């Protein structure tokens, strides 16, 4: 059955085997709830600690809810690094990376999905292999490249190398493959250049996938810690996770401030996650099925 | 088509894929391929920036295999693997399996909750877990006290530090593992379940004889990525238990150092860039070997 538009992983297809006995059902349900609670606990702890005074945090045994709610941690956010500037840095870097990834990987995915050309297999194979190499492996070589380029302590190395992700390319390729040939062919016959076809026909047809990719890329960039940590020294260039890392004061306990900063680093993404829940799931699962 | 003549139209179609691929390729060659090649070259050299680079062939590797810290870190990787991977993978599988059953309530909500860790940045997670496992005012110790045991040093005791790190890693990655398993589970055709039901298989039997074999490829994929992840843990031990070389407050435990963390220390800490690169190369080779090992049981006849 052909469906126009984008076939995401159809999510509502649930199993319905014989229903088990009440005991097993209860046990399974409790297990799941326990897992959910275990996942939520650290999050709750983080937010509740951000509303405590430092003495309250250091009480033993600690309580979940603050003795008295206070905003003092939030008022001290800028002590470690200029918070508004940091958030702005994280934001604009994430936006640039997202736009870049959307453009470059959809172009690459389009090429890999819809054309036969010499070197395609080699290209795919190499990219696949590079995928297996975790970023940490090349920490020093990358650092050295950036030193020679003069990119240390700037934002450039946080943006440009992020555009080389293999996953986005494969993700885009998967969706591009599903585009109906007829539409593209008829556009070609009508005289559209390949680039017009890509830009005005293929991309709009793939919009949900682009949205999903944008969300993931944005989140990845926002949360990125390792590279900023290695590459950025000046406080005014800090991104949020890096500022967060430096928030802890080794001399004076300030864990409530740390938790408050953690909270604001997490909140935007939680909101995005809540808003784009569906998209998120479809994207992850489509990526998981080897197309 | 007239032989020997290619219209400019045809030509523009022919070169289009290359044009589309150009930005990505240039960037990948510069920032993906070249660094890896550089790492391999560096592994056979001795360099600390100050002095010029000298090639020393296999000396780094020989030194590495004689280094007790290397073996310790390798041991860490193996121990951490057993503490993390089975739980993350099969925990994810179990949760996914249950979330796939229509008779479970609040499925969407639980699913969403379990995915939250993916959205949170690693530094925040590290700090929260440090607070939880804090010796003097963490709830982990509060819990121990409540059940009658004394306080323990979750983050500075060798064995416990690994436990703390593993619990954090499982917390972090259970959600994505679950999602991958869910996708795999939904590919299992109904007929298999029906056939098993007709044969009178119990639910547990069905699980082991139908579900798991069908999930072989997914489990293989998860296994490989989890294994690579375990040996390359970097930000997690950094924020939770270790400190970068320059600070002072924690004793250098090395209990939770991963292989790549050790490579980092050798490079950026001791400025032995060749040695660090050699560790990275060993890491890559090890990953290939472990991946191949995991291929075997996955390939065995259907």
């Amino acid at each position: 059955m052909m469906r126009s538009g984008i076939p995401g992983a159809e999510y509502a297809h649930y199993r319905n085997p014989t229903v088990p006995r009440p005991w097993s059902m209860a046990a399974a349900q409790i297990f799941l709830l326990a897992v959910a609670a275990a996942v939520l606990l650290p999050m709750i702890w983080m937010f509740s600690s951000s509303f405590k005074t430092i003495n309250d945090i250091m009480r033993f045994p600690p309580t979940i809810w603050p003795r008295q709610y206070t905003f003092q941690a939030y008022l001290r956010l800028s002590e470690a690094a200029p918070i508004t500037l940091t958030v702005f840095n994280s934001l604009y870097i994430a936006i640039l990376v997202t736009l870049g990834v959307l453009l470059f990987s959809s172009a690459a995915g389009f090429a890999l999905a819809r054309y036969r050309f010499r070197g395609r297999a080699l290209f795919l194979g190499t990219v696949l292999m590079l995928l297996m190499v975790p970023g940490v492996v090349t920490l020093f070589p990358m650092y050295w490249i950036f030193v020679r380029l003069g990119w240390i302590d700037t934002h450039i190395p946080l943006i440009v190398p992020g555009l080389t992700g293999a996953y986005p390319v494969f993700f885009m390729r998967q969706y591009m493959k599903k585009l109906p040939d007829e539409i593209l062919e008829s556009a070609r016959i009508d005289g559209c250049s390949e680039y017009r076809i890509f830009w005005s026909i293929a991309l709009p047809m793939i919009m949900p996938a682009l949205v999903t990719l944008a969300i993931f890329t944005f989140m990845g960039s926002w949360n990125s810690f390792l590279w900023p940590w290695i590459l950025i020294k000046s406080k005014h260039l800090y991104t949020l996770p890096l500022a967060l890392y430096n928030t802890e004061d080794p001399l004076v306990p300030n864990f409530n401030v740390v938790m408050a900063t953690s909270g604001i680093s997490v909140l935007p993404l939680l909101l995005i996650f809540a808003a784009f829940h569906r998209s998120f799931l479809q994207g992850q699962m489509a990526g998981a099925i080897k197309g | 088509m007239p032989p020997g003549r290619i219209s400019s139209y045809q030509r523009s179609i022919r070169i289009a894929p290359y044009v589309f691929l150009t930005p990505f390729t240039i960037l990948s060659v510069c920032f993906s391929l070249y660094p890896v090649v550089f790492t391999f070259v560096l592994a056979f050299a001795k360099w600390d920036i100050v002095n010029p680079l000298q090639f020393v062939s296999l000396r780094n590797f020989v030194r590495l295999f004689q280094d007790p810290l290397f073996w310790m870190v390798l041991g860490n990787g193996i121990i951490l693997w057993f503490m993390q991977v089975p739980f993350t993978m099969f925990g994810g599988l179990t949760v996914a399996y249950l979330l796939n059953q229509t008779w479970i309530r609040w499925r969407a909500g639980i699913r969403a909750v379990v995915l939250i860790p993916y959205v949170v940045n690693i530094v925040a997670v590290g700090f929260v877990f440090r607070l939880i496992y804090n010796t003097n005012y963490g709830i982990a110790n509060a819990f121990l006290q409540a059940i009658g045991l004394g306080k323990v040093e979750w983050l500075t005791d060798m064995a416990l530090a690994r436990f703390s790190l593993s619990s954090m890693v499982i917390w972090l990655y259970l959600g994505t593992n679950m999602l991958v398993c869910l996708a795999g589970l939904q590919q299992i055709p109904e007929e298999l379940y029906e056939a098993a039901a007709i044969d009178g298989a119990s639910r547990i039997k069905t699980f082991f004889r139908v579900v798991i074999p069908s999930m072989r490829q997914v489990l293989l994929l998860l296994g490989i990525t989890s294994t690579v992840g375990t040996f390359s843990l970097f930000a997690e031990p950094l924020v939770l238990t270790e400190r970068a070389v320059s600070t002072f407050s924690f004793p250098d435990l090395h209990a939770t150092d991963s292989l790549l963390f050790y490579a980092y220390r050798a490079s950026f800490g001791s400025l032995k860039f060749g040695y660090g690169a050699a560790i990275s190369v060993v890491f890559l080779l090890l990953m290939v070997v472990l991946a191949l090992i995991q291929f075997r049981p996955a390939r065995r006849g259907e």
Side-chain angles (χ1 to χ4, degrees):
Chain A
M1 187 172 84
M2 274 299 289
R3 300 172 77 173
S4 65
I6 305 309
E10 184 36 60
Y11 192 66
H13 174 72
Y14 280 115
R15 292 287 321 122
N16 191 6
T18 54
V19 178
R21 293 188 313 239
W23 270 123
S24 309
M25 282 176 74
Q29 193 75 55
I30 292 177
F31 170 73
L32 282 181
L33 290 175
V35 170
V39 170
L40 280 178
L41 180 63
M43 296 280 82
I44 295 176
W45 202 263
M46 175 169 81
F47 284 109
S48 84
S49 298
S50 71
F51 290 111
K52 293 180 178 174
T53 65
I54 186 61
N55 289 322
D56 200 3
I57 290 192
M58 291 171 64
R59 279 192 325 131
F60 191 83
T63 54
I64 286 199
W65 306 119
R67 268 253 188 96
Q68 38 172 152
Y69 286 83
T70 167
F71 275 102
Q72 47 170 249
Y74 286 94
L75 295 177
R76 292 170 53 192
L77 281 179
S78 286
E79 273 173 16
I83 275 287
T84 353
L85 185 54
T86 306
V87 169
F88 175 72
N89 286 337
S90 280
L91 187 61
Y92 97 82
I93 291 175
I95 291 178
L96 286 180
V97 170
T98 303
L99 292 177
V101 167
L102 283 181
L103 185 59
F104 289 176
S105 55
S106 61
F110 185 68
L112 288 171
R114 310 225 55 105
Y115 297 91
R116 284 216 198 102
F117 57 94
R118 284 188 38 191
R120 184 174 79 160
L122 175 67
F123 191 89
L124 271 175
T126 320
V127 170
L128 204 54
M129 271 197 348
L130 286 177
L131 216 170
M132 301 263 97
V133 178
V136 191
V137 171
T138 50
L139 264 185
F140 175 66
M142 294 281 258
Y143 185 79
W144 187 242
I145 294 175
F146 296 139
V147 166
R148 298 231 299 269
L149 286 172
W151 286 0
I152 298 288
D153 215 22
T154 67
H155 282 157
I156 307 176
L158 299 181
I159 300 175
V160 172
L163 307 181
T164 65
Y167 287 109
V169 171
F170 283 117
F171 183 70
M172 284 285 104
R173 174 174 177 250
Q174 221 175 338
Y175 280 90
M176 293 285 187
K177 268 182 166 182
K178 296 182 179 159
L179 294 177
D181 290 326
E182 309 85 56
I183 298 191
L184 301 182
E185 266 311 311
S186 57
R188 201 173 276 148
I189 290 173
D190 282 348
C192 267
S193 78
E194 301 301 303
Y195 312 104
R196 225 21 238 284
I197 294 179
F198 167 71
W199 186 262
S200 312
I201 301 178
L203 280 188
M205 286 181 80
I206 245 163
M207 198 52 76
L210 287 177
V211 169
T212 307
L213 183 59
I215 294 173
F216 278 103
T217 311
F218 185 86
M219 285 190 175
S221 172
W222 181 272
N223 283 339
S224 144
F225 168 64
L226 197 52
W227 292 108
W229 180 65
I230 296 271
L231 299 171
I232 306 279
K233 307 294 166 207
S234 318
K235 280 200 174 168
H236 70 275
L237 293 177
Y238 275 5
T239 59
L240 202 41
L242 184 55
L244 173 58
Y245 185 71
N246 288 316
T247 301
E248 191 192 15
D249 185 341
L251 301 171
V252 177
N254 67 344
F255 244 72
N256 53 344
V257 181
V258 172
M259 289 294 113
T261 319
S262 300
I264 66 162
S265 73
V266 163
L267 203 53
L269 296 196
L270 281 180
L271 293 175
I272 295 180
F273 176 59
F276 291 94
H277 185 46
R278 276 259 120 192
S279 207
F280 203 88
L281 279 162
Q282 287 203 331
Q284 278 269 32
M285 288 177 56
I289 303 170
K290 282 299 163 186
Chain B
M1 187 171 100
R5 285 262 210 101
I6 303 180
S7 68
S8 68
Y9 169 70
Q10 297 278 12
R11 200 180 308 131
S12 92
I13 294 188
R14 281 244 209 105
I15 68 169
Y18 296 105
V19 173
F20 282 123
L21 279 174
T22 299
F24 180 77
T25 312
I26 294 180
L27 287 176
S28 291
V29 166
C30 295
F31 299 110
S32 265
L33 193 55
Y34 176 59
V36 174
V37 171
F38 187 2
T39 303
F40 271 91
V41 169
L42 204 50
F44 296 97
K46 170 181 163 146
W47 194 36
D48 59 6
I49 298 192
V50 178
N51 305 314
L53 194 151
Q54 327 166 259
F55 281 101
V56 293
S57 76
L58 293 176
R59 196 176 75 173
N60 285 331
F61 295 96
V62 170
R63 283 246 182 98
L64 194 58
F65 293 125
Q66 295 170 339
D67 183 353
L69 197 47
F70 168 74
W71 293 106
M72 173 173 183
V73 167
L74 205 56
N76 280 348
I78 295 174
I79 294 175
L80 288 175
W81 192 97
F82 281 102
M83 291 176 83
Q84 295 165 6
V85 177
F87 298 100
T88 329
M89 272 177 64
F90 291 105
L93 179 60
T94 311
V95 173
Y97 180 74
L98 291 178
L99 287 180
N100 207 23
Q101 309 292 322
T102 38
W103 45 268
I104 295 273
R105 301 183 68 182
W106 310 306
R107 258 181 332 213
I110 295 179
R111 202 180 59 223
V113 166
V114 172
L115 282 178
I116 286 179
Y118 181 79
V119 164
V120 183
N121 77 74
I122 184 67
V123 186
V125 175
F127 275 134
V128 175
F129 273 82
R130 275 193 38 208
L131 185 59
I132 290 177
Y133 283 123
N134 186 298
T135 315
N136 296 319
Y137 40 87
I139 52 169
N141 274 342
F143 174 73
L144 284 188
Q145 261 211 354
I147 61 176
L149 303 170
K151 292 185 186 182
V152 291
E153 308 235 307
W154 293 99
L155 300 177
T156 45
D157 173 275
M158 297 274 285
L160 288 178
R162 292 186 182 122
F163 175 83
S164 311
L165 181 67
S166 298
S167 64
M168 183 169 102
V169 169
I170 295 173
W171 185 90
L172 280 168
Y173 297 109
L174 188 75
T176 44
N177 279 31
M178 175 215 71
L179 211 47
V180 172
C181 287
L182 199 50
L185 282 174
Q186 295 188 342
Q187 304 268 303
I188 300 181
E190 305 248 352
E191 300 85 54
L192 288 184
Y193 286 106
E194 285 165 10
I198 290 175
D199 287 347
S202 72
R203 302 173 52 75
I204 300 203
K205 267 233 192 87
T206 318
F207 183 77
F208 283 102
R209 294 276 173 79
V210 173
V211 174
I212 294 207
S214 311
M215 294 281 286
R216 252 201 315 255
Q217 289 216 324
V218 170
L219 290 176
L220 174 67
L221 177 71
L222 277 185
I224 293 182
T225 45
S226 303
T227 306
V228 172
T230 302
F231 284 88
S232 61
L233 284 179
F234 193 91
E236 293 87 345
L238 180 66
V239 185
L240 188 67
T241 54
E242 303 290 346
R243 285 312 212 197
V245 180
S246 54
T247 59
F248 42 58
S249 39
F250 277 86
D252 260 354
L253 265 192
H254 301 300
T256 49
D257 283 5
S258 68
L259 201 48
L260 286 188
F261 197 82
Y262 180 42
Y264 162 80
R265 280 188 193 249
S267 293
F268 287 87
S270 319
L271 294 187
K272 296 190 197 161
F273 299 111
Y275 197 62
I279 301 175
S280 301
V281 168
V282 169
F283 166 82
L284 287 175
L285 292 177
L286 181 63
M287 292 304 107
V288 170
V289 167
L290 291 178
L292 290 177
I293 292 181
Q294 294 183 62
F295 254 104
R296 293 280 195 74
R299 274 278 172 84
R300 213 170 292 144
E302 146 61 62

